[in-house]
Amino acid sequence: MRRTVHVVGAGLAGLAAAVRLAARGIAVVVHEAAGAAGGRCRSYHDPLLDMMIDNGNHLLLSGNRAALSYLEAIGSTSGLAGPPAADFAFMDLASGERWRLRINSGRLPWWIFDHNRRVPGTTPADYLSFARLLYAPREKTVCAAVECAGPLYERLARPLWVAALNTDPKEASAALAGAILRETLAAGGKACRPLIARDGLGPVFIDPALRFLGQHGAKVVFGHRLRALGFADDKVTMLDFGDDRVESSDDDVILAVPPVVAAALLPGLETPSEFRAIVNAHFRLAPPAALAPIIGIVNGTVEWLFAFPNRLSVTISAADRLLEVPRESLADKLWQEVAAVAGLPMTLPPWQIVRERRATFAATPGENAKRPAAPTAWRNLWLAGDWTRTGLPATIEGAIRSGNLAADLAVRS
Ligand SMILES: Cc1cc2nc3c(=O)[nH]c(=O)nc-3n(C[C@H](O)[C@H](O)[C@H](O)COP(=O)(O)OP(=O)(O)OC[C@H]3O[C@@H](n4cnc5c(N)ncnc54)[C@H](O)[C@@H]3O)c2cc1C
């Protein structure tokens, strides 16, 4: 009988695993509980704004090699947009100062010696002190490893860590911050070009993957929630979907579901169990033509401002403090800041607030230590997801790498 790999969960980890397997001619069935694919990386029609929006603005960097290979495999690299160089616009809302961070392309960081390229108020020595994160022990927090004060911290390091780790640096893992540093700033500007899915996450990351799977004979079943697994000896022998079951000890299973779901399905599995929120606000209007596509904002509630066609959109990470703020007053406050940055009138345009309560696991040393590896106690079962032991924080890159690894392990078994 032909062996099938059952991929449970059609987020990016599950889709990456399925794409990799299907490309090798392996029979794949993807089982997704929701009515659509994408998980935490999806687009949908918002009735309030009457337009397609993403559940959250997602930023990739040009050094995200697994994400870029995935997009190449599904034929959608051209859907990413970004400047030709690592060029980031910033504004300090308290002082009104604006600057651009321009990282030179090679590994030798001469940009830190050029005051027109580095952060105002910083010296080259400030940057070199952050190199300590590259060798930080696993149990340390960022602020126990490096000094969390001063202009470099406030104007670059803090915004970067909060965005990448979705956790305040005071409690975030220094090792995970070091991994980001290693793959971005330490790798040179060629790894730091900001990239966004110009036409939305769905059209770039999800829909082409579903098309690819269809063309390669893989099946994707929606509304198919895995409710339980059956085990015999060291193998999974049954997948229970409520109305139907799959029974076979010859098939393989890749579990690419969120950590709480995986922990409920697998006896004895330890997973991260603390999460942090991300808040996005979307404002419907045509952005001024001269506005940079991405602006980092310090000393405000807004952290990053993204300009899309017909929409301005803001992201605030580690945003649990904003979960209970009434929507209207939050929209109003955020718009005041956006208007100041973009030079727009204070009148609030049509808006939407999207709060993802469990956007990512909390990237603390304690939660990072709870991340399981892809192999499990069962010979035909592997784990995937941004919360597995990827060595990276919860990101698209981590999710895709985890899916690739689970697929490779299934092929080798
Ligand atoms: C608002 C927001 C902003 C973000 N910004 C960025 C960013 O700028 N850059 C970046 O790199 N990353 C960002 N991320 C993180 C990124 O979205 C995630 O790391 C990635 O999407 C996780 O993919 P995943 O497949 O691991 O998990 P998920 O997307 O959670 O996928 C799990 C899937 O499993 C399904 N499922 C659950 N239970 C079952 C079951 N029992 N049976 C079958 N299916 C089931 C779910 O419906 C879901 O589709 C952001 C996340 C959020 C929420």
Side-chain angles (χ1 to χ4, degrees):
M1 205 173 69
R2 198 173 169 215
R3 182 179 80 150
T4 298
V5 182
H6 297 275
V7 176
V8 185
L12 281 174
L15 289 176
V19 163
R20 199 157 172 106
L21 292 164
R24 292 183 192 181
I26 294 167
V28 180
V29 182
V30 182
H31 308 269
E32 167 56 51
R40 279 170 285 150
C41 179
R42 63 188 188 281
S43 303
Y44 61 94
H45 181 263
D46 182 78
L48 260 181
L49 296 175
D50 191 20
M51 68 195 314
M52 290 298 287
I53 60 170
D54 295 332
N55 68 311
N57 303 311
H58 281 59
L59 183 69
L60 276 192
L61 292 176
S62 47
N64 292 158
R65 57 177 195 276
L68 294 181
S69 311
Y70 164 82
L71 293 178
E72 204 173 309
I74 61 174
S76 101
T77 317
S78 61
L80 287 183
D87 186 340
F88 293 83
F90 277 88
M91 179 176 178
D92 184 334
L93 268 178
S95 67
E97 263 176 291
R98 291 176 192 261
W99 66 93
R100 277 166 61 193
L101 179 78
R102 291 183 300 134
I103 304 163
N104 64 279
S105 162
R107 272 181 187 271
L108 197 67
W110 55 261
W111 63 276
I112 66 175
F113 298 98
D114 181 343
H115 67 94
N116 287 319
R117 285 178 170 262
R118 66 175 184 245
V119 178
T122 63
T123 66
D126 297 336
Y127 294 80
L128 298 175
S129 72
F130 278 91
R132 275 202 298 276
L133 284 172
L134 294 172
Y135 314 100
R138 294 182 70 83
E139 67 284 359
K140 277 210 172 168
T141 60
V142 174
C143 296
V146 294
E147 195 180 328
C148 287
L152 182 62
Y153 174 70
E154 295 300 340
R155 295 182 152 192
L156 177 61
R158 186 174 190 286
L160 178 69
W161 306 143
V162 173
L165 302 163
N166 194 27
T167 305
D168 191 290
K170 289 192 183 67
E171 55 166 6
S173 152
L176 289 176
I180 292 293
L181 193 59
R182 189 171 300 112
E183 300 211 0
T184 58
L185 291 177
K190 63 180 180 314
C192 302
R193 271 195 321 115
L195 298 168
I196 51 171
R198 189 191 44 224
D199 301 323
L201 297 170
V204 177
F205 284 93
I206 310 303
D207 308 342
L210 295 177
R211 272 197 300 277
F212 179 97
L213 292 174
Q215 285 156 2
H216 287 76
K219 253 173 71 182
V220 183
V221 196
F222 293 111
H224 215 217
R225 180 181 298 278
L226 180 67
R227 295 180 190 276
L229 288 165
F231 308 95
D233 302 323
D234 58 355
K235 291 191 99 179
V236 172
T237 50
M238 189 268 296
L239 290 91
D240 179 357
F241 294 97
D243 290 344
D244 63 315
R245 287 173 163 215
V246 175
E247 297 203 45
S248 164
S249 55
D250 296 321
D251 289 352
D252 291 315
V253 182
I254 293 177
L255 202 54
V257 295
V260 274
V261 179
L265 288 166
L266 290 181
L269 180 73
E270 191 183 32
T271 67
S273 52
E274 255 187 62
F275 301 89
R276 294 291 179 269
I278 296 180
V279 170
N280 278 259
H282 307 273
F283 301 99
R284 195 184 68 201
L285 82 169
L291 197 69
I294 306 166
I295 305 178
I297 295 163
V298 298
N299 285 318
T301 304
V302 172
E303 292 168 350
W304 294 92
L305 173 63
F306 293 78
F308 292 100
N310 302 320
R311 175 164 59 96
L312 279 172
S313 193
V314 311
T315 297
I316 306 151
S317 300
D320 297 69
R321 67 190 182 285
L322 301 178
L323 288 176
E324 306 312 326
V325 177
R327 287 166 51 79
E328 287 70 18
S329 52
L330 185 57
D332 214 42
K333 179 178 174 52
L334 299 179
W335 177 252
Q336 302 308 307
E337 294 187 3
V338 172
V341 174
L344 287 164
M346 292 292 166
T347 327
L348 186 61
W351 57 273
Q352 177 60 284
I353 302 254
V354 184
R355 303 191 244 215
E356 289 267 5
R357 284 178 178 267
R358 288 183 168 194
T360 70
F361 73 88
T364 61
E367 292 298 290
N368 190 35
K370 287 158 65 181
R371 297 167 79 182
T376 66
W378 296 276
R379 241 177 342 121
N380 59 344
L381 174 71
W382 294 272
L383 299 175
D386 62 357
W387 53 275
T388 58
R389 199 182 302 154
T390 63
L392 292 176
T395 50
I396 290 179
E397 178 68 11
I400 290 176
R401 280 191 205 174
S402 77
N404 289 346
L405 174 64
D408 290 347
L409 292 171
V411 169
R412 266 185 247 145
S413 68

